[in-house]
């Protein structure tokens, strides 16, 4: 069976390794435990798993075990009989019953109370649930997939997670590496999200200048893909012009970047994009014509590259002329009306 990971963007080997395991485990009924830091795409992966399984036309029922108060979680999961407790005015099926034939996704399983953990273990072993206030079990055919951002082995040692349940869940472990360990995926994801948000916002595609791109690559992304996605949304709204420059990046990222920016601005010989990034530096080193390799190195196509250089020069001309357009146009050797047109096109007025 083909697996459908189309929504999960990335080309790193570490992500491809996860897909390989996914392809093997998806068609089975095995229990899967997905681990990974917050924002690494655990939910996305679990949804892909369900979509790629024989159960795909049956329900996918997620439940966040960390978000539901522990008194309510049991009846959410297993349902309750009429009169089981004060407000139980009628019988209500639980999520396991709703997921019959399909997949239940126990998200944040690490937050589950020890007493409930026993009951989950029982479902996994007996394939049977018992409603709160009910007598006798009811058979269910449900595949269980769980996820957590906690280190469950550690939780077991600390007595917060049942060892037997851990082993029962961990039949097939799927670990999503943090974004900082997915070499190259940062730029792929950044482009993907930025393009998507620009399209949604009805604006032209914007691109990163090499320094901004390098800083993003070096950042540690503690909030992983979610953090990256949110920042791209912000940039798609706030950036003037068609190029994301260093100054556009959030303070937090710039501060953590340290010398990453300097790395790019003082490149080895013959890195002309960086030369374009600082006219003074270029003058000091002597101008070097761009080569095709530069486009590849900075993942720009010809058009983006030329746009980038033009925008840099426009900005500099405006700066030295203190915003006086006549002077800026003169410095650039173009007509005032042409300058205005170019600025308009970039929302730089
Ligand atoms: N590889 C990816 N490609 C595209 N989008 C992604 C990718 N990974 C994560 N996302 C997006 O990032 C956000 C966070 O992903 P998700 O909710 O799956 O993470 P999580 O690991 O479940 O996080 P948490 O532990 O905080 O619950 C979502 O908007 C998701 O669509
Ligand atoms: Mg999640």
């Amino acid at each position: 069976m083909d697996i459908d990971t189309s929504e999960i963007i990335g080309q790193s080997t570490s992500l491809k390794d996860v897909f390989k395991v996914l392809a093997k485990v998806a068609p089975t009924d095995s229990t899967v435990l997905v681990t990974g830091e917050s924002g690494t795409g655990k939910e996305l992966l679990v949804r892909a798993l369900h979509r790629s399984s024989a159960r795909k036309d049956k329900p996918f029922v997620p439940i966040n075990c960390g978000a539901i108060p522990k008194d309510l979680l049991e009846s959410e999961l297993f349902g309750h009989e009429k009169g089981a407790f004060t407000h139980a005015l009628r019988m209500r099926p639980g999520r396991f019953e709703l997921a019959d034939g399909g997949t239940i996704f126990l998200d944040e399983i690490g937050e589950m109370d020890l007493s409930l953990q026993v009951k989950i273990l029982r479902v996994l072993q007996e394939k049977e649930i018992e409603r709160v206030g009910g007598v006798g079990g009811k058979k269910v055919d449900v595949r269980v997939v769980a996820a957590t951002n906690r280190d469950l082995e550690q939780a077991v040692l600390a007595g917060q997670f049942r060892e037997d349940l851990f082993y029962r869940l961990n039949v097939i472990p799927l670990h999503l590496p943090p974004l900082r360990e997915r070499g190259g995926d940062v730029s792929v994801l950044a482009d993907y999200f930025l393009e998507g948000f620009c399209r949604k916002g009805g604006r032209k595609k914007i691109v990163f200048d090499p320094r901004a791109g390098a800083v993003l690559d070096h950042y540690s992304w503690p909030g992983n893909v979610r953090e990256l996605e949110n920042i791209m949304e912000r940039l798609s709204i706030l950036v003037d012009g068609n190029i994301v420059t260093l100054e556009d990046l959030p303070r937090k990222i710039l501060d953590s970047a340290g010398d990453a920016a300097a790395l790019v601005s003082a490149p080895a010989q013959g890195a002309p994009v960086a030369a374009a990034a600082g006219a003074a530096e270029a003058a000091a080193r002597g101008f070097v014509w761009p080569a095709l390799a530069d486009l590849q190195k900075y993942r720009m196509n010809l058009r983006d590259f030329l746009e980038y250089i033009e925008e840099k020069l426009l900005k500099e001309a405006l700066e030295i002329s203190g915003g006086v357009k006549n002077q800026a146009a003169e410095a650039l050797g173009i007509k005032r009306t042409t300058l205005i047109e170019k600025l308009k096109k970039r929302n730089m007025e």
Side-chain angles (χ1 to χ4, degrees):
M1 185 178 301
D2 284 342
I3 62 161
D4 175 8
T5 53
S6 53
E7 288 175 8
I8 309 177
I9 309 301
Q11 295 159 2
S12 55
T13 1
S14 47
L15 193 61
K16 288 199 172 135
D17 288 345
V18 173
F19 291 166
K20 275 187 207 151
V21 181
L22 186 79
K24 288 185 190 156
V25 72
T28 74
D29 269 343
S30 288
T31 306
V32 175
L33 178 63
V34 181
T35 56
E37 290 178 12
S38 179
T40 46
K42 296 186 291 295
E43 176 151 2
L44 218 52
L45 188 73
V46 173
R47 288 181 184 275
L49 177 85
H50 174 73
R51 269 205 315 275
S52 308
S53 76
R55 296 170 177 265
K56 67 170 183 276
D57 297 322
K58 294 289 170 55
F60 174 79
V61 180
I63 179 162
N64 187 330
C65 305
I68 298 177
K70 82 175 203 238
D71 312 338
L72 292 182
L73 188 56
E74 181 176 358
S75 86
E76 267 307 314
L77 286 168
F78 304 118
H80 59 72
E81 296 293 348
K82 181 177 172 180
F85 44 85
T86 321
H87 298 291
L89 301 179
R90 56 178 70 87
M91 184 287 280
R92 201 168 157 248
R95 306 268 176 120
F96 270 97
E97 279 175 82
L98 297 176
D100 204 15
T103 307
I104 193 167
F105 172 32
L106 304 176
D107 201 1
E108 318 258 359
I109 187 117
E111 309 307 312
M112 190 182 275
D113 211 55
L114 282 164
S115 60
L116 255 187
Q117 290 175 23
V118 189
K119 298 190 175 167
I120 297 291
L121 184 64
R122 197 175 152 243
V123 188
L124 287 169
Q125 277 162 354
E126 319 285 332
K127 311 255 176 269
E128 213 175 75
I129 55 124
E130 193 169 318
R131 292 190 191 132
V132 177
V135 281
K138 183 171 187 297
K139 283 276 174 215
V140 284
D141 166 28
V142 175
R143 180 182 202 176
V144 176
V145 181
T148 180
N149 53 26
R150 288 183 66 181
D151 180 345
L152 279 193
E153 276 175 294
Q154 203 57 45
V156 167
L157 289 177
Q160 294 155 344
F161 204 85
R162 290 183 63 103
E163 191 173 15
D164 45 11
L165 179 59
F166 172 67
Y167 288 120
R168 191 64 195 71
L169 288 173
N170 202 36
V171 179
I172 312 280
L174 271 177
H175 177 69
L176 274 171
L179 184 55
R180 63 185 162 280
E181 287 170 18
R182 297 185 208 173
D185 278 1
V186 170
S187 60
V188 176
L189 281 161
D191 288 347
Y192 166 80
F193 285 130
L194 194 59
E195 196 176 339
F197 284 122
C198 284
R199 197 177 334 107
K200 267 187 228 152
R203 69 178 285 183
K204 232 189 106 191
K205 181 182 157 195
I206 54 183
V207 297
F208 298 96
D209 88 9
R211 293 195 212 187
V215 167
L216 293 182
D217 279 344
H218 280 83
Y219 180 58
S220 65
W221 300 106
N224 294 292
V225 186
R226 182 180 293 111
E227 184 181 15
L228 179 73
E229 185 176 10
N230 292 340
I231 288 175
M232 293 310 123
E233 179 170 10
R234 189 184 331 170
L235 292 175
S236 77
I237 294 166
L238 296 182
V239 168
D240 299 316
N242 297 325
I243 312 267
V244 182
T245 61
L246 268 190
E247 299 83 65
D248 294 317
L249 299 182
R251 196 65 274 154
K252 185 182 166 202
I253 294 189
L254 287 176
D255 287 349
S256 72
D259 285 338
L263 281 179
V264 189
S265 62
Q269 252 195 340
V273 174
E281 296 157 31
R285 273 202 316 274
F287 184 74
V288 190
W289 288 105
L292 260 189
D294 295 309
L295 300 193
Q296 281 146 17
K297 182 167 171 199
Y298 295 112
R299 300 181 310 272
M300 284 185 169
N301 59 29
L302 179 65
R303 210 188 138 110
D304 292 342
F305 184 85
L306 295 176
E307 287 250 349
Y308 168 73
I309 294 184
E310 187 170 305
E311 191 164 316
K312 274 283 170 196
L313 295 172
L314 290 173
K315 276 187 180 159
E316 194 189 340
L318 283 173
E319 246 170 63
I320 57 166
S321 61
V324 181
K325 297 211 174 78
N326 275 334
Q327 285 176 25
E330 196 173 324
L332 291 162
I334 56 176
K335 283 195 295 196
R336 185 173 186 274
T337 45
T338 313
L339 174 66
I340 290 173
E341 218 172 88
K342 287 184 183 300
L343 295 178
K344 239 191 206 141
K345 212 176 92 194
R346 296 179 164 76
N347 297 316
M348 275 171 66
E349 279 181 300

